[in-house]
Amino acid sequence: MTIMKMEETAIVWTLLQSDLRPIQDVLAEFNSKFTRSRYFPVCSSLSILLQDPMILRSTDRLIAFAIMHQCYSSVKPSLNPFVSEMINAACNEQAEKYERAFLLHLFQWNSYNNAKEIFKLSAADYIKTFDPSTNDFPELGELQREYGNKADGPSSHMFADYALKKLLHDPDVPRGCDPNSPEFDVQVQPGGISKIGSGDRNEAISGILGSLTMGGLAPRWIRPCPPRYPVHQSELLWIDPDNKHELVWDDKMCADTSRGATVRDLLVKGLKVTLSPTEQEDITTALSNDPKLVYHCGITPRKLPQLVEHNPQIAVEILTKLINSPEIVDYFTALVSMEMSLHSMEVVNRLTTAVELPKEFIRMFITNCISSCENAKQQDKYMQNRLVRLVCVFLQSLIRNNIIDVKDLFIEVQAFCIDFSRVREAAGLFRLLKTLE
Amino acid sequence: MDSISSDAARDGSICDEAIVLSVTSALAKDALSYFQSGKFHECIDILIQLNHKKRNDPKVLHNIAIAEYFKNACSNSKKLLEDLNTVKKQSEEFAKEPLEAVNPGSNVSVSKHQFDSTITTLNIAVTWFHLHQYAKCLSILDPLFLNIEPLDETIALQICFLMLDSALACHDAVKFLEVFGHLDKSFGVGFGTHEEIGSTMQLSSNQVSKTSSLLSSSAASDALKSDLAAAESGLCEEGLEYDNVLAEIEAEKRMKPVGHIPANNLLKTIGERSILTVDVKLELQLYKVRFLLLTRNVKLAKREVKHAMNIAQKRDSSMALLLKSQLEYAHGNHRKAIKLLLVSGIQKELRTSGIFNNNLGCIYYQLGKYQAASVLFSKALRNCSSLRKDNPVKLFSLSQDKSLLITYNCGVLYLACGKPLLAAQCFQKASLVFCRQPLLWLRIAECCILALQKGLLEEGNTSSDRSEIRVHVIGKGKWRQLMMEENGFVELGGSAQWPKLSLPLARVCLSNSMYLLNVSLMNDYSKSDLESPLSVMINETKEASWSDHGDADTNSELKEAKGGMNQDIIQNSLSAYKDIRRRENHLLKQALLANMAYVELELENPIKALSAANSLLQLPDCSKIYVFLGHIYAAEALCLLNRPGEAGAHLSAYLLGQEDFKLPFAQEDFDPWRMNMSSDCEETSDCSTGNARDSLKPEEARGALFANLAALFATQGHYDQARPFIQHALALLPSNVQATITAVYIDLMVGRSEDAVARLKQCTRVSFVPGRLEVRAS
């Protein structure tokens, strides 16, 4: 991307060559032709041209500096992005004195405060009328202190910085080698030097202006491209025909919803009274005929304790079938937290032989049994003894059937046996524990 | 029908609930039979009558929605989804009403039954499945699966199979195993105990006998022989090129058995639980193989597929053969895979011919025959589109349409062939299915980068495009409901236009990819750590039964062969798969960060580039290649940020002595890299050749180190130090543009302009043009 457009190049080039017009006219025309946003590109191009003392004629150079000054005259000199170029030029001892004086006028350095007057002259006239005896030129440092900017120039990082500035200062760089453009570089090197001073200059300058790019010639970094992420064979999609997943018609629509109604009714009854053997038989058959019926039979965890009390066999039947249900935990919880009784123990005991119960649950149940026995103390000695016997028999059965691992509960059960050692069954259980030790 | 309803009206005075019930159930039966025979207009008429009688019965509304959908030739999935969701919401609201208080006791479960939304939910999931939204499908089915025990077996099976297919499509091995474990428990071992299933067996074996008699007919077996012969000859001849493939396929067509099994008349089976006719046991065995293939447990898959073949022997074995072919493909035995693919016979059916071509295309891709693969993929796409056109009324035209998957394969292929624009188009189309997969986004970003390298990107990455804040959100997916999040996932694509390939697009894609990767990593993490007490409990009981199983299985070979899934082995292969996935994700993360750093550098955003490169370097156990890229990107970014000292530190990590660099990585580093990816691939040579040509060579990387250190010295004015390095660099990379320019710069700086010009003249990539000198872009 070049900095300036073709027509801009033409305008700038014409302006630079207006050595016979008063400088202020030239500046006015510049202002009318360029908007503020184009100042920077134009000045960058000019500063590149100015770096080489040979390319531009002396009058052109003066006008170029004037434009660079004018563009940023509304701000402090130190904010002018090209101030360092101008300072360097003003202190360049190899440069013509009139040029250095001109720049100092632009800076309004000490007694150089004649810029307005000078601008009324044409560039050619200024040179003609310049008094060559002037000798009061400041040191570089003085000007830098006064106007210099410590901030970075237009470039933003070190590659760019070095590209522009180093080339500017280095006297060893062959003349005509413009560092700001690789294109320019070689274009001028073979042709530029030898042909300078002839008609080629115009062509070269407009060529330079036309093909200048913003970037400079800088050391280039090799930026390897990341390799393509490897294609694993599983990334390519091997397709299997899938099952036909079809939309399903809901055939429960207006269907007979009496499924299992008898069982449900019987079970409602079973919450209150013990069912007759035939009724129990009916329920068992219905449940085994329809494996999913158990989920629709109306026995909720809340109702379970009632069923256990009145119809423990049916409760066992239902719990066995519900063992895969996600709600089985709730049923177990209900069983654990109900009041201990012969029936609840019977249910648990039979469950242990029918299905595999979670260890946690059995453990909790036993703990509950034991604490029930202890709590019964306050109430009724007879009831307590009865309960203790039941628990002991229950535990012996569990141990004999290898349902529980005695080690898990050893201390708890042992304490229980000692507490109730007066009960015969407790002593028996204690002996059983000892034999297992 | 009218007579019945007018009867009902006449008897209105004595109309008690029972009569209404019988009338409506008769109507319901009629509706079903109309539905099954494909007379949807009549069906809907009756359903509307029913709706008048039973205001707002969700089940009636549900069936209306289904029938309407079929009436419109399955064209408006969006409306179906809306309707079903409305029905679902309605039933849930009804179910919430405190019925128990109103009529306690027996009626509770009756009413609950009426408002059960299981079927509606299942149908919603089915619809999403056909729209390729597998993750969504899974999440919808999850609640059903949690409470699957009470459901009727047919529905439960349907839910489970749908979940299995979705889980496979999502590569979700954990979910798959969860569902499969349940099925195995309910049907694998205790199979045949229930009457219902027993009769199913009967039915399917009837079908099977039909099939097998067909298979044993002479025409069919001749066809098989010729398939084999064709496969052999195709492979033995030197060229495996497209012509041969075509010839094979043509031979196939001629040999097409006359009496090939007609696809069931789908319209007849609508509404019937056609899944019941599937042989569950074979199905489970096939799923087991697919799971093992997913988890890349090739050894075990081999054994299980044998077992599947045994089960399938008397039945339809095409699926088992197809899986066997996939197994050989996964194993890298491409010849065998082709043979089995041909034997499976899926190319003979219109429905599956696209699948055949696609799978064959995959094999040819792995063989490095890109031309043939490309022809096969486009043939597969044509198969799909003809399937769409031919059967507009066919129910599951949508589900059988695999074109988006095939399109993805095309994308991979085009990218490998160096056609980024075409590849990107494919990936963008496939994004409808894969938009949640991080890899897709990386691939699109790679398309952008490749296009950049090839100079195919349009100019105009203006500064406004480059700003990070103005990221356009283009289009809203017609179906997707992606959540927009700040700095999160940027929705691209859908029905709307995709933006042209560009670096900013690459940046967006990479950040999408990273976002998705992080989300999935996070999910994995949370899944393993946060489990509800309920599931813990269930797991415990499960594990207990599993371990028992394992104990009994000391001589497991025998039991396994009988179809019992040995849980230990399954768990092992699951954890092995998790490891593989973790490694892949790790590698993906490295690739993403490296690409990010690169793209940010290209976009002149060194701060971002530096942070990406630093994150890359901070990853533990990074591939040496990515470590190198991390250092070199970080160094460049630091230079651009005017921090040459730190930049130098990154480069000198590779310094050997004062003036030499070691190789930052070896060619072998590509191999373990690949071995990580496919530890089970036997013929690695095949797949490695495909990638090797565009990967970075170690010597080039070393050259880059020399050149970059030289550039760094040069910018600091240490030209004498820079010169030997740039000499080394140019020796390694004689025609590298960047190194040449750095060399020229150094020459000019030390005043050797003649050398510089000479150097430019020597470099093959510089051309002197009249009036203007141009250096060709790298």
Side-chain angles (χ1 to χ4, degrees):
Chain A
M1 229 171 55
T2 54
I3 300 176
M4 291 206 291
K5 303 186 189 98
M6 278 310 285
E7 58 275 17
E8 287 176 336
T9 311
I11 296 168
V12 170
W13 183 226
T14 326
L15 289 175
L16 289 183
Q17 286 177 304
S18 314
D19 56 341
L20 298 177
R21 295 170 60 192
I23 297 174
Q24 57 188 7
D25 289 5
V26 178
L27 292 178
E29 191 181 339
F30 178 86
N31 279 345
S32 68
K33 292 262 169 73
F34 290 93
T35 59
R36 184 165 283 277
S37 63
R38 299 302 298 161
Y39 285 176
F40 183 74
V42 171
C43 292
S44 316
S45 309
L46 290 178
S47 94
I48 290 162
L49 289 181
L50 288 167
Q51 280 171 17
D52 193 301
M54 299 299 285
I55 291 181
L56 291 175
R57 291 178 304 173
S58 44
T59 50
D60 302 349
R61 290 179 65 85
L62 295 185
I63 294 173
F65 279 123
I67 289 174
M68 276 167 73
H69 169 73
Q70 155 95 4
C71 286
Y72 296 91
S73 58
S74 58
V75 296
K76 274 192 292 179
S78 61
L79 292 180
N80 185 335
F82 303 97
V83 72
S84 60
E85 278 90 334
M86 291 166 76
I87 292 172
N88 287 329
C91 304
N92 182 359
E93 304 208 339
Q94 276 141 30
E96 298 288 349
K97 281 185 178 170
Y98 53 77
E99 182 177 309
R100 300 175 67 189
F102 183 78
L103 278 163
L104 291 172
H105 279 295
L106 292 182
F107 280 125
Q108 298 187 317
W109 172 261
N110 291 344
S111 58
Y112 297 95
N113 48 13
N114 243 349
K116 272 187 187 160
E117 290 305 312
I118 293 171
F119 280 1
K120 287 178 186 157
L121 302 172
S122 71
D125 286 345
Y126 165 76
I127 294 173
K128 248 182 259 167
T129 57
F130 181 76
D131 174 11
S133 63
T134 312
N135 261 322
D136 177 22
F137 291 112
E139 291 289 308
L140 181 65
E142 285 179 72
L143 272 183
Q144 273 176 342
R145 268 193 301 283
E146 185 76 18
Y147 306 112
N149 70 28
K150 291 280 172 268
D152 288 329
S155 55
S156 57
H157 53 77
M158 43 184 256
F159 291 151
D161 285 354
Y162 286 100
L164 292 168
K165 290 179 186 167
K166 280 288 179 189
L167 283 168
L168 183 69
H169 292 305
D170 196 332
D172 288 335
V173 175
R175 298 192 163 185
C177 165
D178 190 292
N180 268 12
S181 132
E183 293 93 329
F184 174 46
D185 230 340
V186 181
Q187 181 200 6
V188 177
Q189 274 184 354
I193 297 169
S194 59
K195 290 178 186 169
I196 207 152
S198 70
D200 273 332
R201 182 201 291 251
N202 286 3
E203 194 194 320
I205 293 174
S206 48
I208 294 162
L209 283 175
S211 59
L212 274 180
T213 59
M214 283 298 270
L217 174 71
R220 290 276 292 275
W221 195 268
I222 296 182
R223 182 185 298 162
C225 187
R228 202 153 51 79
Y229 186 74
V231 178
H232 184 258
Q233 50 95 357
S234 72
E235 187 185 348
L236 282 175
L237 299 156
W238 180 279
I239 303 176
D240 297 319
D242 40 30
N243 273 311
K244 289 178 205 141
H245 298 292
E246 305 183 0
L247 289 172
V248 181
W249 176 270
D250 194 340
D251 54 10
K252 297 268 165 46
M253 175 181 72
C254 308
D256 182 13
T257 48
S258 62
R259 175 188 186 187
T262 25
V263 172
R264 271 197 300 275
D265 290 345
L266 280 176
L267 283 173
V268 169
K269 191 176 159 195
L271 296 180
K272 291 175 190 105
V273 294
T274 308
L275 296 172
S276 70
T278 19
E279 285 170 328
Q280 294 198 8
E281 182 70 33
D282 285 349
I283 293 176
T284 320
T285 332
L287 285 179
S288 55
N289 281 344
D290 182 350
K292 301 289 176 182
L293 181 61
V294 67
Y295 295 100
H296 309 288
C297 67
I299 296 296
T300 57
R302 208 160 48 84
K303 290 176 185 164
L304 182 69
Q306 286 169 275
L307 188 68
V308 168
E309 275 315 310
H310 294 105
N311 294 286
Q313 270 115 328
I314 299 293
V316 169
E317 192 78 28
I318 287 178
L319 287 174
T320 319
K321 291 202 183 307
L322 280 174
I323 197 70
N324 285 327
S325 158
E327 284 172 26
I328 190 68
V329 182
D330 298 336
Y331 287 94
F332 285 155
T333 316
L335 202 53
V336 168
S337 41
M338 73 182 279
E339 205 179 314
M340 287 305 136
S341 69
L342 174 62
H343 283 172
S344 72
M345 269 181 250
E346 184 190 341
V347 167
V348 174
N349 195 25
R350 288 179 61 177
L351 271 182
T352 56
T353 56
V355 291
E356 189 171 346
L357 291 176
K359 285 203 172 76
E360 285 299 295
F361 164 69
I362 298 181
R363 201 193 166 119
M364 239 157 88
F365 190 79
I366 292 172
T367 314
N368 229 14
C369 284
I370 292 175
S371 64
S372 296
C373 292
E374 282 157 0
N375 292 340
K377 240 178 226 170
Q378 290 92 19
Q379 297 165 4
D380 187 343
K381 202 82 183 180
Y382 171 73
M383 275 303 291
Q384 191 190 31
N385 277 353
R386 205 181 148 222
L387 206 56
V388 170
R389 275 193 194 129
L390 278 175
V391 172
C392 289
V393 172
F394 174 65
L395 283 175
Q396 286 188 15
S397 152
L398 290 183
I399 292 170
R400 292 222 165 88
N401 290 327
N402 283 326
I403 304 293
I404 55 166
D405 192 349
V406 193
K407 279 176 218 137
D408 293 346
L409 284 161
F410 194 80
I411 296 172
E412 214 174 341
V413 175
Q414 201 177 32
F416 168 77
C417 291
I418 293 168
D419 265 7
F420 295 99
S421 52
R422 60 191 153 81
V423 181
R424 194 152 47 91
E425 282 79 2
L429 179 62
F430 189 75
R431 277 195 297 279
L432 180 65
L433 286 180
K434 284 289 158 199
T435 60
L436 290 172
E437 224 174 348
Chain B
M1 218 23 55
D2 277 339
S3 70
I4 296 176
S5 55
S6 59
D7 277 353
R10 207 178 331 119
D11 296 345
S13 51
I14 52 159
C15 164
D16 70 35
E17 245 181 62
I19 291 180
V20 170
L21 198 68
S22 72
V23 170
T24 51
S25 70
L27 279 175
K29 269 182 196 141
D30 287 339
L32 175 59
S33 73
Y34 277 127
F35 181 75
Q36 285 173 341
S37 50
K39 293 175 182 159
F40 301 116
H41 279 284
E42 291 85 338
C43 176
I44 290 169
D45 284 345
I46 294 181
L47 288 172
I48 289 170
Q49 284 182 42
L50 269 176
N51 194 32
H52 282 307
K53 288 191 195 310
K54 302 188 77 181
R55 278 255 157 245
N56 293 331
D57 180 345
K59 291 190 183 293
V60 177
L61 295 176
H62 165 268
N63 284 346
I64 290 179
I66 301 286
E68 286 275 359
Y69 179 64
F70 285 124
K71 196 185 86 185
N72 298 325
C74 307
S75 54
N76 199 343
S77 311
K78 190 180 179 186
K79 185 173 175 297
L80 176 65
L81 278 176
E82 279 168 7
D83 290 350
L84 290 178
N85 277 318
T86 317
V87 172
K88 188 180 176 193
K89 215 180 280 166
Q90 211 175 2
S91 349
E92 280 166 356
E93 268 164 29
F94 282 137
K96 248 186 254 164
E97 281 168 25
L99 284 160
E100 204 159 346
V102 183
N103 27 333
S106 62
N107 281 337
V108 173
S109 47
V110 180
S111 321
K112 252 190 192 166
H113 222 265
Q114 200 177 342
F115 301 121
D116 171 43
S117 58
T118 306
I119 303 267
T120 316
T121 312
L122 173 59
N123 281 333
I124 293 173
V126 167
T127 314
W128 281 119
F129 182 85
H130 294 317
L131 294 170
H132 301 291
Q133 300 299 308
Y134 305 113
K136 187 152 191 139
C137 177
L138 272 182
S139 71
I140 289 173
L141 289 176
D142 252 344
L144 293 189
F145 181 71
L146 278 181
N147 201 10
I148 202 156
E149 286 296 336
L151 298 181
D152 282 345
E153 250 141 22
T154 48
I155 297 291
L157 264 183
Q158 231 158 338
I159 292 172
C160 290
F161 283 149
L162 187 55
M163 288 185 86
L164 289 181
D165 278 335
S166 305
L168 282 175
C170 295
H171 300 241
D172 190 342
V174 178
K175 175 61 72 187
F176 181 96
L177 214 54
E178 200 180 309
V179 180
F180 188 88
H182 166 76
L183 277 177
D184 202 33
K185 200 170 61 182
S186 324
F187 300 103
V189 189
F191 183 72
T193 51
H194 305 307
E195 289 292 316
E196 230 178 327
I197 307 290
S199 63
T200 316
M201 273 285 277
Q202 213 75 42
L203 208 109
S204 60
S205 57
N206 278 343
Q207 266 194 348
V208 161
S209 61
K210 235 193 288 172
T211 321
S212 55
S213 70
L214 271 170
L215 274 176
S216 61
S217 75
S218 60
S221 58
D222 280 353
L224 288 191
K225 266 180 217 159
S226 76
D227 285 348
L228 277 171
E232 286 292 356
S233 65
L235 284 161
C236 294
E237 277 164 34
E238 279 228 312
L240 254 173
E241 285 311 327
Y242 172 61
D243 287 339
N244 290 330
V245 183
L246 263 195
E248 282 162 25
I249 292 165
E250 284 309 312
E252 278 318 302
K253 275 190 187 156
R254 280 196 300 278
M255 289 304 181
K256 194 172 176 179
V258 199
H260 85 107
I261 317 138
N264 299 2
N265 185 348
L266 277 164
L267 290 181
K268 254 187 195 164
T269 56
I270 297 170
E272 276 174 27
R273 304 278 160 67
S274 58
I275 205 150
L276 255 193
T277 63
V278 172
D279 184 337
V280 180
K281 200 167 188 179
L282 173 59
E283 208 59 50
L284 281 182
Q285 185 64 26
L286 293 175
Y287 273 119
K288 194 192 292 182
V289 177
R290 290 175 75 180
F291 168 78
L292 293 170
L293 280 170
L294 173 71
T295 56
R296 304 187 196 160
N297 190 337
V298 181
K299 246 183 218 161
L300 197 54
K302 217 166 198 169
R303 198 156 61 187
E304 293 296 338
V305 85
K306 252 180 220 158
H307 184 48
M309 289 296 293
N310 284 340
I311 301 180
Q313 219 164 30
K314 298 172 220 125
R315 304 163 202 182
D316 180 15
S317 58
S318 66
M319 188 62 189
L321 284 167
L322 187 60
L323 286 177
K324 222 174 164 183
S325 169
Q326 186 181 0
L327 178 66
E328 296 300 344
Y329 166 75
H331 217 238
N333 295 333
H334 299 122
R335 283 175 41 118
K336 245 185 182 170
I338 294 179
K339 209 190 286 180
L340 285 163
L341 192 58
L342 284 168
V343 176
S344 79
I346 59 163
Q347 69 273 36
K348 291 169 195 156
E349 263 194 72
L350 188 66
R351 197 169 60 85
T352 48
S353 57
I355 295 179
F356 169 80
N357 282 321
N358 172 73
N359 292 351
L360 196 56
C362 291
I363 301 175
Y364 275 72
Y365 177 94
Q366 298 297 347
L367 287 169
K369 313 277 184 197
Y370 292 158
Q371 182 60 33
S374 132
V375 174
L376 282 165
F377 285 146
S378 32
K379 208 168 151 59
L381 283 174
R382 273 203 302 283
N383 291 144
C384 286
S385 68
S386 75
L387 201 64
R388 266 197 306 261
K389 272 179 215 142
D390 291 353
N391 307 298
V393 192
K394 206 165 184 177
L395 282 196
F396 294 107
S397 44
L398 263 179
S399 80
Q400 301 306 337
D401 185 5
K402 303 291 183 192
S403 56
L404 288 176
L405 310 188
I406 301 167
T407 306
Y408 184 88
N409 287 347
C410 286
V412 175
L413 180 71
Y414 285 134
L415 191 58
C417 297
K419 296 176 185 166
L421 299 184
L422 280 174
Q425 275 175 15
C426 291
F427 288 131
Q428 286 163 359
K429 260 189 218 156
S431 70
L432 275 176
V433 183
F434 300 103
C435 59
R436 282 276 153 196
Q437 303 242 347
L439 190 52
L440 172 89
W441 296 98
L442 174 60
R443 291 294 180 212
I444 298 177
E446 285 179 344
C447 289
C448 295
I449 292 173
L450 185 58
L452 168 78
Q453 287 175 309
K454 297 206 154 206
L456 296 171
L457 285 189
E458 283 182 22
E459 285 290 338
N461 291 330
T462 55
S463 54
S464 67
D465 288 337
R466 289 179 178 198
S467 84
E468 293 182 274
I469 305 152
R470 278 189 53 217
V471 169
H472 293 274
V473 181
I474 297 111
K476 291 205 171 62
K478 209 170 173 185
W479 296 107
R480 277 184 286 137
Q481 297 170 344
L482 292 179
M483 190 72 85
M484 276 290 303
E485 286 170 53
E486 255 188 347
N487 297 325
F489 188 82
V490 178
E491 192 181 347
L492 292 166
S495 58
Q497 280 258 306
W498 269 74
K500 292 226 169 72
L501 292 192
S502 65
L503 285 173
L505 178 67
R507 169 195 273 160
V508 172
C509 289
L510 290 172
S511 89
N512 274 357
S513 187
M514 186 57 96
Y515 173 77
L516 290 171
L517 184 65
N518 286 338
V519 166
S520 80
L521 291 178
M522 229 150 61
N523 281 350
D524 287 351
Y525 183 73
S526 59
K527 245 185 216 161
S528 57
D529 278 4
L530 307 165
E531 278 182 305
S532 68
L534 176 75
S535 68
V536 168
M537 180 133 186
I538 286 173
N539 280 350
E540 268 174 12
T541 54
K542 248 191 225 162
E543 265 162 5
S545 60
W546 283 352
S547 61
D548 283 0
H549 197 69
D551 287 343
D553 266 359
T554 35
N555 50 354
S556 55
E557 290 282 328
L558 196 79
K559 279 212 172 172
E560 263 169 63
K562 287 196 171 158
M565 192 86 140
N566 185 317
Q567 296 301 339
D568 278 350
I569 294 184
I570 291 305
Q571 286 302 319
N572 284 345
S573 95
L574 180 64
S575 60
Y577 179 60
K578 277 184 183 164
D579 276 351
I580 293 174
R581 286 298 288 261
R582 206 170 300 132
R583 275 205 303 268
E584 276 179 9
N585 282 339
H586 188 57
L587 190 61
L588 186 59
K589 194 165 200 172
Q590 298 170 36
L592 284 176
L593 287 171
N595 277 288
M596 273 179 178
Y598 179 80
V599 167
E600 293 298 348
L601 284 174
E602 288 290 338
L603 286 170
E604 294 169 16
N605 193 346
I607 296 179
K608 278 270 176 190
L610 182 62
S611 93
N614 279 337
S615 320
L616 177 59
L617 289 172
Q618 277 158 17
L619 286 183
D621 303 325
C622 231
S623 144
K624 275 188 182 175
I625 295 160
Y626 285 122
V627 171
F628 163 72
L629 289 176
H631 279 305
I632 211 139
Y633 294 153
E636 182 176 3
L638 285 166
C639 285
L640 294 173
L641 294 168
N642 293 330
R643 288 151 70 180
E646 293 161 75
H650 276 288
L651 295 182
S652 48
Y654 290 105
L655 263 182
L656 235 143
Q658 285 293 309
E659 287 196 358
D660 200 9
F661 278 110
K662 59 183 171 191
L663 285 177
F665 52 88
Q667 193 63 46
E668 294 96 80
D669 282 317
F670 282 97
D671 294 335
W673 187 11
R674 196 155 288 108
M675 285 310 285
N676 276 347
M677 297 287 297
S678 57
S679 48
D680 43 16
C681 183
E682 281 181 347
E683 296 174 19
T684 40
S685 56
D686 275 351
C687 32
S688 56
T689 45
N691 273 319
R693 71 176 99 150
D694 44 30
S695 59
L696 191 64
K697 296 197 177 53
E699 278 299 327
E700 285 171 8
R702 185 161 163 254
L705 286 172
F706 279 118
N708 289 348
L709 192 58
L712 191 59
F713 279 133
T715 51
Q716 293 170 297
H718 306 312
Y719 307 115
D720 291 338
Q721 273 174 289
R723 283 182 68 193
F725 281 105
I726 202 66
Q727 296 299 353
H728 276 297
L730 282 173
L732 289 165
L733 309 165
S735 59
N736 183 286
V737 171
Q738 286 86 359
T740 308
I741 290 177
T742 304
V744 166
Y745 175 87
I746 294 167
D747 286 339
L748 290 176
M749 281 313 213
V750 296
R752 300 171 174 230
S753 50
E754 293 80 10
D755 286 357
V757 179
R759 206 185 284 288
L760 283 171
K761 281 178 183 162
Q762 273 166 16
C763 178
T764 53
R765 292 177 76 179
V766 178
S767 47
F768 293 84
V769 289
R772 236 176 138 144
L773 172 93
E774 283 188 33
V775 178
R776 263 187 266 134
S778 54

